[in-house]
Amino acid sequence: MPRRRAFRLAALLCGTMVSPQSALAAPSSYFLSPTGNDFNTGNLASPFATLGRAQQAIDASRNASAVLPGPVMVTLLPGTYYLASTAALNASISGDDVNSVTIAAQPGAVLSGGMPLTGWLQLGPDLFTVNLPLSTFPQQIVRQLWTANGTRRELQHSPILHYASLSTNLSVSTAPTYVVLPRGQLNATAEELSNAYIVLYHSWTSTVNQVASWDPGNSTLMVAGGPADNRWNSASFNRYVLQNVLNTSYLAPGTFMFNATSRNITYRAMPGEDPRVTPLIAPRLSTVLSLTGTTSRWLRNVYLADLTVAHTPALLEEQCKPVGNGCSSQSGAILTTAAVELTNVRNATVLGLSIAHTGGYALWLRPGCQDLLISRAHLFDLGAGGVRIGPNGGGMSPIPSTVVNHVELSDSVIEDGGHILEAGVGVLLQTAHNVSIVHNSIHDFFYSGISTGWTWGYSPTSTGDLTVGWNHIYNVGRGRLSDLACIYNLGTSRGTVFVNNVCHDAAATGYGGWGYYTDEVRCRELPIVIADPASLPSPAASQSTPRLCNHTLAP
């Protein structure tokens, strides 16, 4: 049985990754509650408040050889945990060679990176305002809010409009970017546009840039930053969206505007809604939960069960301005954070994870993650995409031991993404080896469903031996972006198999919208197979039999 299959089977059958010896010991139990206190004892009657305190208790229970007294169970009791800082766990919470550590949530337990907004003032029958201090909400601009039941409230924006012309120069210092609008299309003052952003659609992505100035006489917007490459063009039918115009007449019910100078939100409520009675939730933590080991001390032998994580901001300005061209990144790969992050984690199982209401990606398996099973996850209402596997970029990893390896993502639902960065994808795999992405439902994204490889120029890469199969991918592109597919592989990925995926309703604007897209793949290098199981060579034969990159695709 292949290693990853055996690992998955053992984890699912046993529930936790424990040895026969540890199964004989009574587990140590710790409890958390939103109303708990870290000075408590941590039992059911006197629960802790934070995962950090539970980690301290677990580490303190080890003997002189750093061995736990037995398996450990940490239980999150129901309620919303509004975190003031990231729940940052390290190798102190690891299991050992004998015992595992399980962190499990009861139904109704939510780890939130947001905070309910109180102190609303009423400006009109359906118009309200509240201040968001920078010390509590550190993002430069707030782009999203949520109701208590999880309904997204959006930053003010226009419908998709068409500009007349676009003037760009790859050297921003010598010539800025100008967007000429049809006369009469925009009636706004410079003050009303002082916090505005423009979303411009290009070949295969969209950029989000601040409006630098507005010349109503020439009907011209000057765009701050960008372009940095030739993605900036009118290949996507001269489309744009204008966001955050500071004029209440532009506010539709359920939308808001944010003044970055005063830090005030002005919100037009839905009929019957009053945020003074049912406060809206604003995000503030870019990462809600992180598990981080080191190359000298892995975070290992842990089991996460039924955790729910929610509410992260879209840090476009902080993460994209250094690039100089706005967030013009294929698949949203320029982002540097995710709601849940794992780094240098080994021998771990994550079952039943739910992540929702994000400003960027939901889950990121960073360098050093090995022998991981992610299964039965539900990721939805996503600002960018669902799962990232491996570090940003492609090519050969300079440190082979940190390449993400032996990972399975299976039996999960990843849906409803691209609310902030439309190029976000369901699963983005950049540098990883021996990964299975199987039996997942991936749908309702404005770009691709699965994107793998990420190596341009036919260069050597550490990525390979991927299995992408039995996934149901649909309603991608949604007529918004171009150059996309249900499954998009970029560059050489030796030993990779795409098998028995179901793809439908892939719709691009301009060009693209394929089922499989094998970009920069040389067939003579035989890097990839697209096949049905019956046509695949046996394991013994595959060592000597060349694989065909243009294999007939089974229905």
PDB file of all heavy atoms in Angstrom, residues 203-219:
ATOM      1  N   SER A 203      -5.091  40.213 -18.750  1.00  0.00           N
ATOM      2  CA  SER A 203      -5.087  38.956 -19.482  1.00  0.00           C
ATOM      3  C   SER A 203      -5.576  37.781 -18.642  1.00  0.00           C
ATOM      4  O   SER A 203      -6.428  37.026 -19.059  1.00  0.00           O
ATOM      5  CB  SER A 203      -3.673  38.657 -19.999  1.00  0.00           C
ATOM      6  OG  SER A 203      -3.291  39.607 -20.958  1.00  0.00           O
ATOM      7  N   TRP A 204      -4.986  37.603 -17.471  1.00  0.00           N
ATOM      8  CA  TRP A 204      -5.370  36.452 -16.667  1.00  0.00           C
ATOM      9  C   TRP A 204      -5.516  36.787 -15.184  1.00  0.00           C
ATOM     10  O   TRP A 204      -5.527  35.906 -14.336  1.00  0.00           O
ATOM     11  CB  TRP A 204      -4.349  35.321 -16.821  1.00  0.00           C
ATOM     12  CG  TRP A 204      -2.938  35.726 -16.489  1.00  0.00           C
ATOM     13  CD1 TRP A 204      -2.386  35.836 -15.254  1.00  0.00           C
ATOM     14  CD2 TRP A 204      -1.925  36.064 -17.421  1.00  0.00           C
ATOM     15  NE1 TRP A 204      -1.088  36.235 -15.349  1.00  0.00           N
ATOM     16  CE2 TRP A 204      -0.757  36.375 -16.683  1.00  0.00           C
ATOM     17  CE3 TRP A 204      -1.859  36.137 -18.817  1.00  0.00           C
ATOM     18  CZ2 TRP A 204       0.434  36.747 -17.282  1.00  0.00           C
ATOM     19  CZ3 TRP A 204      -0.665  36.513 -19.414  1.00  0.00           C
ATOM     20  CH2 TRP A 204       0.467  36.803 -18.655  1.00  0.00           C
ATOM     21  N   THR A 205      -5.619  38.040 -14.890  1.00  0.00           N
ATOM     22  CA  THR A 205      -5.753  38.442 -13.500  1.00  0.00           C
ATOM     23  C   THR A 205      -6.464  39.786 -13.442  1.00  0.00           C
ATOM     24  O   THR A 205      -6.875  40.331 -14.461  1.00  0.00           O
ATOM     25  CB  THR A 205      -4.369  38.524 -12.815  1.00  0.00           C
ATOM     26  OG1 THR A 205      -4.541  38.757 -11.422  1.00  0.00           O
ATOM     27  CG2 THR A 205      -3.514  39.622 -13.408  1.00  0.00           C
ATOM     28  N   SER A 206      -6.618  40.294 -12.233  1.00  0.00           N
ATOM     29  CA  SER A 206      -7.122  41.647 -12.045  1.00  0.00           C
ATOM     30  C   SER A 206      -6.250  42.328 -11.011  1.00  0.00           C
ATOM     31  O   SER A 206      -5.717  41.679 -10.106  1.00  0.00           O
ATOM     32  CB  SER A 206      -8.587  41.652 -11.595  1.00  0.00           C
ATOM     33  OG  SER A 206      -8.749  40.945 -10.379  1.00  0.00           O
ATOM     34  N   THR A 207      -6.072  43.625 -11.145  1.00  0.00           N
ATOM     35  CA  THR A 207      -5.262  44.381 -10.200  1.00  0.00           C
ATOM     36  C   THR A 207      -6.174  45.232  -9.324  1.00  0.00           C
ATOM     37  O   THR A 207      -7.252  45.659  -9.748  1.00  0.00           O
ATOM     38  CB  THR A 207      -4.273  45.303 -10.924  1.00  0.00           C
ATOM     39  OG1 THR A 207      -4.997  46.161 -11.812  1.00  0.00           O
ATOM     40  CG2 THR A 207      -3.275  44.506 -11.730  1.00  0.00           C
ATOM     41  N   VAL A 208      -5.722  45.485  -8.097  1.00  0.00           N
ATOM     42  CA  VAL A 208      -6.440  46.356  -7.179  1.00  0.00           C
ATOM     43  C   VAL A 208      -5.479  47.480  -6.793  1.00  0.00           C
ATOM     44  O   VAL A 208      -4.508  47.248  -6.080  1.00  0.00           O
ATOM     45  CB  VAL A 208      -6.903  45.603  -5.918  1.00  0.00           C
ATOM     46  CG1 VAL A 208      -7.715  46.532  -5.014  1.00  0.00           C
ATOM     47  CG2 VAL A 208      -7.732  44.385  -6.307  1.00  0.00           C
ATOM     48  N   ASN A 209      -5.731  48.670  -7.292  1.00  0.00           N
ATOM     49  CA  ASN A 209      -4.828  49.797  -7.068  1.00  0.00           C
ATOM     50  C   ASN A 209      -5.589  51.019  -6.578  1.00  0.00           C
ATOM     51  O   ASN A 209      -6.757  51.225  -6.931  1.00  0.00           O
ATOM     52  CB  ASN A 209      -4.092  50.173  -8.355  1.00  0.00           C
ATOM     53  CG  ASN A 209      -2.987  49.200  -8.685  1.00  0.00           C
ATOM     54  OD1 ASN A 209      -3.256  48.099  -9.156  1.00  0.00           O
ATOM     55  ND2 ASN A 209      -1.756  49.597  -8.446  1.00  0.00           N
ATOM     56  N   GLN A 210      -4.901  51.849  -5.820  1.00  0.00           N
ATOM     57  CA  GLN A 210      -5.503  53.088  -5.356  1.00  0.00           C
ATOM     58  C   GLN A 210      -5.586  54.096  -6.497  1.00  0.00           C
ATOM     59  O   GLN A 210      -4.723  54.127  -7.380  1.00  0.00           O
ATOM     60  CB  GLN A 210      -4.681  53.682  -4.214  1.00  0.00           C
ATOM     61  CG  GLN A 210      -5.413  54.776  -3.453  1.00  0.00           C
ATOM     62  CD  GLN A 210      -4.745  55.089  -2.126  1.00  0.00           C
ATOM     63  OE1 GLN A 210      -3.638  54.635  -1.844  1.00  0.00           O
ATOM     64  NE2 GLN A 210      -5.432  55.855  -1.288  1.00  0.00           N
ATOM     65  N   VAL A 211      -6.643  54.890  -6.472  1.00  0.00           N
ATOM     66  CA  VAL A 211      -6.770  55.988  -7.424  1.00  0.00           C
ATOM     67  C   VAL A 211      -5.879  57.127  -6.940  1.00  0.00           C
ATOM     68  O   VAL A 211      -6.068  57.641  -5.831  1.00  0.00           O
ATOM     69  CB  VAL A 211      -8.234  56.448  -7.548  1.00  0.00           C
ATOM     70  CG1 VAL A 211      -8.334  57.701  -8.407  1.00  0.00           C
ATOM     71  CG2 VAL A 211      -9.092  55.328  -8.140  1.00  0.00           C
ATOM     72  N   ALA A 212      -4.908  57.543  -7.754  1.00  0.00           N
ATOM     73  CA  ALA A 212      -3.977  58.598  -7.350  1.00  0.00           C
ATOM     74  C   ALA A 212      -4.580  59.980  -7.553  1.00  0.00           C
ATOM     75  O   ALA A 212      -4.393  60.872  -6.727  1.00  0.00           O
ATOM     76  CB  ALA A 212      -2.668  58.468  -8.126  1.00  0.00           C
ATOM     77  N   SER A 213      -5.284  60.155  -8.662  1.00  0.00           N
ATOM     78  CA  SER A 213      -5.899  61.464  -8.921  1.00  0.00           C
ATOM     79  C   SER A 213      -6.997  61.302  -9.959  1.00  0.00           C
ATOM     80  O   SER A 213      -7.079  60.293 -10.661  1.00  0.00           O
ATOM     81  CB  SER A 213      -4.846  62.469  -9.421  1.00  0.00           C
ATOM     82  OG  SER A 213      -4.346  62.089 -10.692  1.00  0.00           O
ATOM     83  N   TRP A 214      -7.822  62.349 -10.050  1.00  0.00           N
ATOM     84  CA  TRP A 214      -8.956  62.341 -10.978  1.00  0.00           C
ATOM     85  C   TRP A 214      -9.019  63.695 -11.665  1.00  0.00           C
ATOM     86  O   TRP A 214      -9.045  64.741 -11.017  1.00  0.00           O
ATOM     87  CB  TRP A 214     -10.232  62.048 -10.226  1.00  0.00           C
ATOM     88  CG  TRP A 214     -11.537  62.352 -10.911  1.00  0.00           C
ATOM     89  CD1 TRP A 214     -12.527  63.186 -10.468  1.00  0.00           C
ATOM     90  CD2 TRP A 214     -12.026  61.804 -12.143  1.00  0.00           C
ATOM     91  NE1 TRP A 214     -13.585  63.200 -11.331  1.00  0.00           N
ATOM     92  CE2 TRP A 214     -13.314  62.358 -12.387  1.00  0.00           C
ATOM     93  CE3 TRP A 214     -11.499  60.905 -13.070  1.00  0.00           C
ATOM     94  CZ2 TRP A 214     -14.070  62.039 -13.501  1.00  0.00           C
ATOM     95  CZ3 TRP A 214     -12.259  60.593 -14.180  1.00  0.00           C
ATOM     96  CH2 TRP A 214     -13.523  61.146 -14.394  1.00  0.00           C
ATOM     97  N   ASP A 215      -9.005  63.652 -12.986  1.00  0.00           N
ATOM     98  CA  ASP A 215      -9.116  64.856 -13.795  1.00  0.00           C
ATOM     99  C   ASP A 215     -10.460  64.824 -14.513  1.00  0.00           C
ATOM    100  O   ASP A 215     -10.598  64.181 -15.570  1.00  0.00           O
ATOM    101  CB  ASP A 215      -7.965  64.925 -14.806  1.00  0.00           C
ATOM    102  CG  ASP A 215      -7.985  66.197 -15.641  1.00  0.00           C
ATOM    103  OD1 ASP A 215      -8.979  66.946 -15.568  1.00  0.00           O
ATOM    104  OD2 ASP A 215      -7.008  66.435 -16.378  1.00  0.00           O
ATOM    105  N   PRO A 216     -11.482  65.479 -13.939  1.00  0.00           N
ATOM    106  CA  PRO A 216     -12.802  65.403 -14.577  1.00  0.00           C
ATOM    107  C   PRO A 216     -12.833  66.069 -15.944  1.00  0.00           C
ATOM    108  O   PRO A 216     -13.645  65.686 -16.804  1.00  0.00           O
ATOM    109  CB  PRO A 216     -13.722  66.124 -13.580  1.00  0.00           C
ATOM    110  CG  PRO A 216     -12.823  66.986 -12.765  1.00  0.00           C
ATOM    111  CD  PRO A 216     -11.508  66.285 -12.702  1.00  0.00           C
ATOM    112  N   GLY A 217     -11.969  67.081 -16.163  1.00  0.00           N
ATOM    113  CA  GLY A 217     -11.958  67.738 -17.465  1.00  0.00           C
ATOM    114  C   GLY A 217     -11.595  66.792 -18.583  1.00  0.00           C
ATOM    115  O   GLY A 217     -12.190  66.829 -19.672  1.00  0.00           O
ATOM    116  N   ASN A 218     -10.608  65.907 -18.315  1.00  0.00           N
ATOM    117  CA  ASN A 218     -10.196  64.918 -19.319  1.00  0.00           C
ATOM    118  C   ASN A 218     -10.796  63.538 -19.059  1.00  0.00           C
ATOM    119  O   ASN A 218     -10.482  62.590 -19.776  1.00  0.00           O
ATOM    120  CB  ASN A 218      -8.675  64.802 -19.353  1.00  0.00           C
ATOM    121  CG  ASN A 218      -8.010  66.069 -19.840  1.00  0.00           C
ATOM    122  OD1 ASN A 218      -8.507  66.715 -20.759  1.00  0.00           O
ATOM    123  ND2 ASN A 218      -6.891  66.439 -19.219  1.00  0.00           N
ATOM    124  N   SER A 219     -11.629  63.449 -18.025  1.00  0.00           N
ATOM    125  CA  SER A 219     -12.253  62.176 -17.652  1.00  0.00           C
ATOM    126  C   SER A 219     -11.200  61.083 -17.477  1.00  0.00           C
ATOM    127  O   SER A 219     -11.349  59.965 -17.963  1.00  0.00           O
ATOM    128  CB  SER A 219     -13.293  61.753 -18.710  1.00  0.00           C
ATOM    129  OG  SER A 219     -14.127  60.742 -18.198  1.00  0.00           O
TER     130      SER A 219
END
